[in-house]
Amino acid sequence: MANSAVKLTDTIPEDVKNNLGTRRVVRLPEANFPDADAIVRQGAVARKTESKADVMLVNPPAPDGALWIRTQHRVGRRTRENMVWPQVSLAQMAALMVPEYTVAVKDAMAERMTWPDYEDYLREIRPKYYLTQVTAPTLTNDMYGVFLAKSLGAITIAFGTHVTPVARETLRQFPALDYVLRGEPEMTLRELVDTLEAVDGRWDIGEEGKLCDPTTGQWIEGQSRIWKMWKEDPTWKPAWLYPNDAMAQPESNAADSEIVGNARSFNKAHGTAANFQKKATKKRGADTENFVLPVLPSKPVSIYDSAQPSYDQLAAIRGLTWRWNSEIISNWDRHFFESLDDLPMPLHHLLPFDKYRMPMIKGKFTFIVTSRGCPAGCKYCIKHVSYQNSVRLRSPKLLVEEMKLLKDLGLVHIHMYADLFTVNRDQVMELCELLIEEDLGLTWTCNSRVDYVDEELLTKMGQAGCMLISWGIESANEQILKKARKGYKKEQAHKALKWAKNAKIKNWGYFIIGLPGETVETIKETMAFSREIDLDIALFHVAAPYPGTPFFFEVIENKWFRSDTNWEEVDMDKGTVLDYDNLSAEELMYWQKKAFRQWAFRPKPIITMLLAMNTWQGFKSAIDIGLQSLGWVGED
């Protein structure tokens, strides 16, 4: 009977017995997740980590594949006129960083790079410092580039007309951004990088606090060149001279040592945290359900692989907005350097000249900065956010030297880039005399106001090679001009444009629809005026309340800012956020398009466009501009 007994397991099919899922589930273990951070940080996984540039200065790709006009002290806007602006401001800042630092300048906008291509480029360069300009209509787009750079270990820095008045909020909203350079960025950038590199041991500190090459003991060349501009501020003291315990004790500071000591002592006495819990729960009467594992402080891991500046050092850098733990701090504004002649020549050769273009201009061209600042007080103008109302000029001799350099690089046309080119008559007259004397064979363009010229000046400009002037006309209604602090007389516009035409200079007029006080009647007045005066090109924008301008604060105070809008919608060319009591945003856009249609679809502007087709590039550009304009005015 016993021999005939059948075991229970004998009744289980063989394939079931072999199924490991029939085994008993083990007791729930303590969590013990793998930690590969340290070994990956030390380079155990093969990946590219070397940097090909200390500082990368960028104009990132467009948010929509279109062309955008943007630079250091201007706002970004889409362009329907196929104008691609040279990024001379990036070349200027790059010149202030050499020869001590390697630099890379990338104008991804001009090169029409896609974001995937740009990311590949970033991975190739892997800069230590990533500097990007930022404008309101491209804010999120620009910050995406910051995010990519931060993911590759870069220290991220922003400058421009948006972050200057909105520095704290930008840092708060975009945690991948480390620093903001407010206002005039060149000296703030140089002092920031010099300070970070001195803290990291790249430079020694020598006589008078100047930085020295540790191998030779000589002042680094860049220090000698820009020391004068720093010393123009009598309250300035080099940021790297302020206290920093890490510079004297590079391993760790006292607070970190105490933290590490506590953690090591605990582990030595009790073993790992998991073992400590196991021992504690084995004790008689231990409350295993309510047991709380002690949380130990640990040494914070730096987000960078270099020594960190102290609070005092960062706080000493004028014009800087930065993070300190959870706090965002804005330092005092930086003193304007007094002479633009102290700036080195921009590194023009780093720019893609073959990608830059302007309507009615043949061949390679770029910008030359002739002055900064404008004494006019136009309430809507973004230029005053960066340079305000004081004016600084570059000497005509230096401008001609730069033009000779550009001619040697193969350029045939120059745009005199300034807040107001004719701000100083003597400077312009001397420059024209030198250009006539040198006979460089270059043509050039500029901007002006109708109340900052006279017939003799315009005649001399025409003789010196000026072929086009961009005029800020804005409105034909003198009350609107007065409210906007533009303040010229209509007859001055008639005279200035007539004088320019007599000097064989073409006229480009800019108009703004929707300034405070605008009505349908004043818009029609401006539309009629635009057809009366002698213009070769006209552009009609919608008033845009860019942050930091007096117009912005007026819009906020009067509640004209349409609710539920984003910064990207503050676009003077293709959108508006203004809602007046008598004119809605949609109505302003309607009148903007109608004003352009009535001006452009006439025989004279069409003939001007056809004459611009005298090259294959001009033909393609003219067709593209025409198609863009037709598509734009046909939108709802």
Side-chain angles (χ1 to χ4, degrees):
M1 186 71 175
N3 292 335
S4 62
V6 178
K7 293 182 180 179
L8 183 60
T9 55
D10 292 341
T11 64
I12 300 176
E14 192 67 24
D15 59 334
V16 174
K17 287 194 295 182
N18 291 333
N19 180 359
L20 297 180
T22 62
R23 304 304 190 266
R24 180 178 62 85
V25 176
V26 298
R27 181 178 62 85
L28 181 66
E30 294 303 325
N32 186 18
F33 303 114
D35 183 356
D37 275 334
I39 194 169
V40 170
R41 188 176 182 83
Q42 292 168 6
V45 177
R47 62 188 179 97
K48 179 180 174 62
T49 57
E50 67 272 14
S51 172
K52 291 187 176 181
D54 292 320
V55 184
M56 180 176 169
L57 308 99
V58 304
N59 185 31
D64 53 7
L67 289 170
W68 287 70
I69 293 174
R70 27 191 273 144
T71 188
Q72 178 170 312
H73 63 292
R74 298 291 179 93
V75 72
R77 70 171 177 88
R78 293 181 185 88
T79 169
R80 283 177 285 108
E81 64 273 26
N82 272 7
M83 187 158 57
V84 187
W85 274 24
Q87 295 302 306
V88 175
S89 56
L90 299 181
Q92 180 68 81
M93 284 186 277
L96 211 67
M97 304 307 297
V98 298
E100 290 75 33
Y101 304 105
T102 55
V103 298
V105 175
K106 176 55 67 173
D107 188 352
M109 189 85 68
E111 296 183 25
R112 309 298 288 266
M113 291 183 76
T114 64
W115 273 106
D117 289 340
Y118 185 69
E119 184 174 355
D120 289 341
Y121 177 79
L122 267 177
R123 291 184 182 280
E124 176 67 20
I125 300 299
R126 288 186 178 269
K128 186 172 184 181
Y129 300 95
Y130 176 90
L131 177 70
T132 183
Q133 61 179 323
V134 180
T135 58
T138 59
L139 175 61
T140 303
N141 176 81
D142 301 338
M143 288 300 110
Y144 180 60
V146 167
F147 168 78
L148 291 176
K150 173 58 66 180
S151 72
L152 297 173
I155 296 171
T156 55
I157 309 168
F159 74 99
T161 51
H162 181 76
V163 296
T164 288
V166 197
R168 291 187 186 90
E169 278 300 292
T170 305
L171 282 167
R172 183 184 66 81
Q173 293 174 10
F174 300 97
L177 181 62
D178 296 319
Y179 300 104
V180 165
L181 315 178
R182 304 191 320 276
E184 202 164 43
E186 288 92 349
M187 303 302 291
T188 307
L189 173 65
R190 178 74 200 214
E191 187 173 6
L192 173 63
V193 173
D194 278 347
T195 300
L196 296 177
E197 293 298 310
V199 170
D200 201 31
R202 183 170 184 170
W203 311 121
D204 287 343
I205 300 175
E207 184 181 351
E208 297 181 0
K210 291 184 179 180
L211 297 180
C212 304
D213 187 328
T215 59
T216 64
Q218 299 295 316
W219 288 344
I220 58 178
E221 185 178 330
Q223 289 279 288
S224 303
R225 184 175 60 229
I226 62 181
W227 196 259
K228 173 181 178 292
M229 289 185 278
W230 272 332
K231 295 295 284 185
E232 286 173 353
D233 181 357
T235 65
W236 178 78
K237 173 183 174 181
W240 52 83
L241 292 183
Y242 286 81
N244 186 333
D245 293 337
M247 295 178 74
Q249 302 172 13
E251 291 186 2
S252 62
N253 58 36
D256 286 346
S257 298
E258 182 179 353
I259 290 171
V260 174
N262 289 342
R264 285 174 179 165
S265 299
F266 182 92
N267 288 333
K268 184 176 180 180
H270 302 287
T272 65
N275 287 339
F276 177 73
Q277 181 177 357
K278 185 177 180 181
K279 290 179 181 178
T281 54
K282 281 186 176 180
K283 292 182 180 179
R284 182 176 295 179
D287 185 356
T288 57
E289 292 184 1
N290 298 317
F291 175 80
V292 178
L293 181 68
V295 178
L296 298 176
S298 60
K299 181 179 179 180
V301 178
S302 170
I303 58 172
Y304 313 126
D305 291 324
S306 57
Q308 295 302 291
S310 69
Y311 180 96
D312 290 341
Q313 287 172 326
L314 290 176
I317 301 175
R318 302 289 177 86
L320 186 71
T321 302
W322 49 290
R323 304 176 190 279
W324 188 256
N325 298 327
S326 60
E327 186 178 1
I328 295 175
I329 301 166
S330 275
N331 299 344
W332 289 359
D333 291 333
R334 180 171 289 277
H335 177 75
F336 288 122
F337 49 84
E338 296 174 6
S339 173
L340 298 186
D341 286 356
D342 289 335
L343 285 169
M345 287 282 187
L347 301 184
H348 287 289
H349 65 282
L350 298 181
L351 299 175
F353 294 130
D354 57 324
K355 305 296 183 184
Y356 297 136
R357 58 180 181 263
M358 178 184 282
M360 309 180 75
I361 301 300
K362 304 175 188 176
K364 296 180 180 179
F365 91 102
T366 193
F367 289 170
I368 283 184
V369 175
T370 61
S371 64
R372 287 183 180 178
C374 176
C378 305
K379 297 170 71 173
Y380 51 84
C381 185
I382 194 71
K383 293 176 289 189
H384 299 313
V385 170
S386 295
Y387 299 148
Q388 301 179 359
N389 298 94
S390 59
V391 175
R392 290 159 295 157
L393 308 172
R394 290 181 73 198
S395 65
K397 289 183 179 179
L398 194 60
L399 294 174
V400 172
E401 284 182 26
E402 190 169 355
M403 293 179 76
K404 289 179 178 178
L405 181 151
L406 290 168
K407 183 178 180 180
D408 291 341
L409 291 174
L411 277 85
V412 298
H413 183 83
I414 306 296
H415 179 68
M416 304 295 187
Y417 188 60
D419 295 330
L420 175 56
F421 173 69
T422 56
V423 67
N424 183 278
R425 190 180 191 276
D426 291 341
Q427 181 211 30
V428 177
M429 288 293 284
E430 184 180 348
L431 173 61
C432 290
E433 293 287 357
L434 289 173
L435 290 174
I436 294 170
E437 180 182 336
E438 294 286 346
D439 192 20
L440 297 178
L442 299 174
T443 57
W444 52 278
T445 54
C446 65
N447 70 344
S448 187
R449 289 173 50 117
V450 297
D451 52 352
Y452 270 74
V453 294
D454 56 66
E455 187 172 12
E456 181 187 12
L457 176 65
L458 289 170
T459 300
K460 184 68 70 174
M461 288 168 60
Q463 294 170 352
C466 180
M467 57 168 294
L468 183 146
I469 298 177
S470 301
W471 304 95
I473 299 172
E474 323 309 6
S475 175
N477 185 274
E478 293 183 1
Q479 288 303 312
I480 289 178
L481 293 172
K482 186 175 181 180
K483 287 181 181 179
R485 298 179 192 162
K486 179 75 178 181
Y488 71 85
K489 302 296 183 182
K490 290 173 66 174
E491 59 267 22
Q492 290 176 299
H494 280 287
K495 287 181 180 179
L497 272 61
K498 181 181 178 181
W499 292 333
K501 274 303 177 74
N502 290 340
K504 295 182 170 46
I505 299 173
K506 293 182 173 64
N507 293 315
W508 183 330
Y510 285 96
F511 297 89
I512 298 177
I513 303 297
L515 290 171
E518 193 83 272
T519 65
V520 171
E521 288 70 28
T522 61
I523 294 173
K524 290 180 178 179
E525 183 181 350
T526 297
M527 291 165 61
F529 187 61
S530 71
R531 299 190 297 273
E532 291 172 12
I533 54 181
D534 198 351
L535 291 174
D536 297 281
I537 303 177
L539 283 183
F540 296 82
H541 300 302
V542 175
Y546 293 113
T549 61
F551 182 39
F552 169 80
F553 294 109
E554 183 180 6
V555 168
I556 296 298
E557 181 181 355
N558 289 280
K559 299 180 180 179
W560 294 332
F561 208 119
R562 174 170 281 192
S563 59
D564 300 324
T565 54
N566 299 315
W567 285 122
E568 285 78 1
E569 297 173 74
V570 185
D571 185 345
M572 64 191 295
D573 194 50
K574 287 193 173 182
T576 183
V577 295
L578 292 174
D579 261 334
Y580 293 117
D581 293 337
N582 63 320
L583 286 169
S584 68
E586 289 77 14
E587 289 173 313
L588 291 174
M589 291 296 297
Y590 165 81
W591 285 108
Q592 178 202 13
K593 294 176 183 179
K594 186 169 184 176
F596 177 77
R597 281 197 304 268
Q598 289 196 3
W599 184 89
F601 298 152
R602 297 178 299 131
K604 182 180 177 181
I606 292 173
I607 292 172
T608 300
M609 181 67 70
L610 292 173
L611 291 175
M613 296 184 181
N614 53 4
T615 66
W616 175 241
Q617 180 180 352
F619 175 79
K620 290 191 298 181
S621 181
I623 293 297
D624 190 41
I625 292 170
L627 292 175
Q628 287 188 59
S629 298
L630 287 171
W632 173 65
V633 297
E635 294 173 354
D636 291 334

